[in-house]
Amino acid sequence: MTTVFAEDDVETEFENEEDEVAVHYDIASYPSDYTLSGIAQMWKDGDIEIPDYQREFVWGIRQSSLLIDSFLTGLPVPPVFFYIDEENKNLVIDGQQRILSVVFYLEGYFGKESTHGKRLVFRLSGLGDGNPYNGKKFDELDESDQRKLKQAVLRAINIRQLNPVGEGTSAYHIFERLNTGGTPLKPQEIRNCVFRGEFSQLLKEANKDKSWRKIIGRPNLDKHQKDVELLLRIFSLVGASDSYEKPMKEFLNQAMRKHQTGETKKSKSFLEVFPKVAELVLKELGEKPFHLRGPLNVSALDSFMAVLIENYKNLPKINIGERFRELVEDQDFIDDATINTTDTKTVHSRLSRVKRIVFGA
């Protein structure tokens, strides 16, 4: 299958390029019943974390009021889903709106502070004039109703990965399957949620490099971070001639998790060398050099850039332009860059061929 970015839609072909391979985990899934006061305290203590991604709290005050009314009147409320990470923190996979509605009402204020530092007082709204709770703040409820609300139960489905130990990438796949809301997140957006850390921020900054933008032929940042994912792909393939295993998606997950602090030797070295290599590639090959047959061929780009970054110290010894022209005229390399591009054997062959033709290795 050809590995390309379509010019008008950066996601389409790249996103569907690989044949899926099952990744097996040993997962524990069990329910917990938390009181609403317990949920509020866990939030205050930082034991519940909502991933940092584009979506914010989007419910209106009426939606949140109906939820609170359901707890007060004993109506059923759907469970939330927590992924329990290795630090025993509760990562919210599904249920952000319900959790924050509870927290806000018990606090007495709806939503976050405005740009002027003000918050809206949370009075239950839209419940109808005949509803005894309509228009009331939490501290205006009868003491009996306050206790009832604080002691009301919200069920959580807890998910914890048991095996493989030390490779907690199952959160990505769980998030991917439960992430079915209005506009589902794309793979790199999910990674930024699950493997949150300094490395994701550093990749985003590196993605703004002017030479890099000209190489991929995309002056504007991709709103779903497909360009960041491509950068992660290059990073992951550095030094991976023998270690890559299909599927590519899981290979990227593992790299993101392993280097999420941004403090590893590989991440520091990559982020230092990448802009230098990008500048050199642009200078020697010009803009959009990997658009071999129209669109951007990701497989040609990922292997060439990864090998150059890996062998950065040897770059002054070679004529990059001449070697690149020889590379793209090699039929075996073209096959590796256009057919079954994420198969384990193909990726190993593609990286090895770049090393052999460009560096004589």
Side-chain angles (χ1 to χ4, degrees), residues 22-33:
V23 181
H24 298 282
Y25 298 95
D26 184 4
I27 301 293
S29 176
Y30 53 93
S32 294
D33 290 333

Side-chain angles (χ1 to χ4, degrees), residues 129-325:
D129 294 337
N131 189 301
Y133 306 121
N134 197 46
K136 290 189 176 181
K137 300 187 297 179
F138 173 72
D139 60 12
E140 292 175 345
L141 296 174
D142 294 339
E143 289 186 6
S144 175
D145 287 327
Q146 290 183 23
R147 283 192 291 272
K148 181 178 182 179
L149 187 63
K150 289 191 294 183
Q151 294 170 13
V153 169
L154 176 61
R155 170 154 290 196
I157 305 300
N158 304 291
I159 302 168
R160 185 190 295 269
Q161 178 175 321
L162 302 179
N163 282 300
V165 177
E167 298 180 9
T169 59
S170 62
Y172 175 92
H173 302 285
I174 294 165
F175 206 134
E176 185 179 39
R177 285 159 176 74
L178 290 176
N179 168 44
T180 57
T183 305
L185 300 178
K186 301 299 182 181
Q188 190 58 32
E189 294 175 298
I190 297 176
R191 289 188 188 100
N192 290 338
C193 297
V194 176
F195 310 118
R196 58 204 183 282
E198 185 63 20
F199 185 55
S200 66
Q201 300 303 317
L202 293 171
L203 281 180
K204 290 177 186 177
E205 287 303 312
N207 184 50
K208 298 175 184 177
D209 182 86
K210 293 181 180 179
S211 298
W212 168 247
R213 305 310 306 176
K214 292 179 180 178
I215 289 170
I216 63 175
R218 308 287 300 194
N220 299 320
L221 301 177
D222 183 76
K223 64 180 180 179
H224 295 302
Q225 300 182 41
K226 289 293 296 183
D227 41 12
V228 177
E229 182 178 55
L230 178 54
L231 195 55
L232 173 64
R233 179 165 164 154
I234 295 170
F235 167 80
S236 302
L237 290 174
V238 172
S241 296
D242 299 320
S243 62
Y244 170 80
E245 290 186 6
K246 188 179 181 177
M248 177 66 76
K249 182 186 292 185
E250 181 64 10
F251 184 69
L252 301 186
N253 291 344
Q254 291 173 359
M256 193 82 175
R257 181 186 182 280
K258 182 178 180 180
H259 301 279
Q260 67 188 95
T261 65
E263 293 295 324
T264 62
K265 182 178 179 180
K266 179 178 177 177
S267 62
K268 289 183 177 180
S269 175
F270 176 86
L271 293 165
E272 178 184 354
V273 171
F274 167 72
K276 300 175 183 177
V277 170
E279 182 180 12
L280 182 61
V281 168
L282 180 64
K283 178 182 176 182
E284 298 294 329
L285 306 184
E287 296 186 16
K288 299 166 67 172
F290 301 100
H291 289 60
L292 303 183
R293 299 176 181 176
L296 172 62
N297 185 300
V298 172
S299 296
L301 181 147
D302 69 16
S303 52
F304 190 78
M305 292 289 289
V307 171
L308 258 59
I309 291 170
E310 182 180 340
N311 295 274
Y312 174 68
K313 294 181 180 178
N314 296 322
L315 290 185
K317 303 175 184 178
I318 66 171
N319 183 319
I320 294 178
E322 180 181 322
R323 300 294 174 86
F324 180 72
R325 285 189 290 274

Side-chain angles (χ1 to χ4, degrees), residues 117-130:
K118 296 181 179 180
R119 295 182 70 188
L120 176 68
V121 172
F122 194 166
R123 295 181 180 278
L124 297 179
S125 306
L127 303 182
D129 294 337

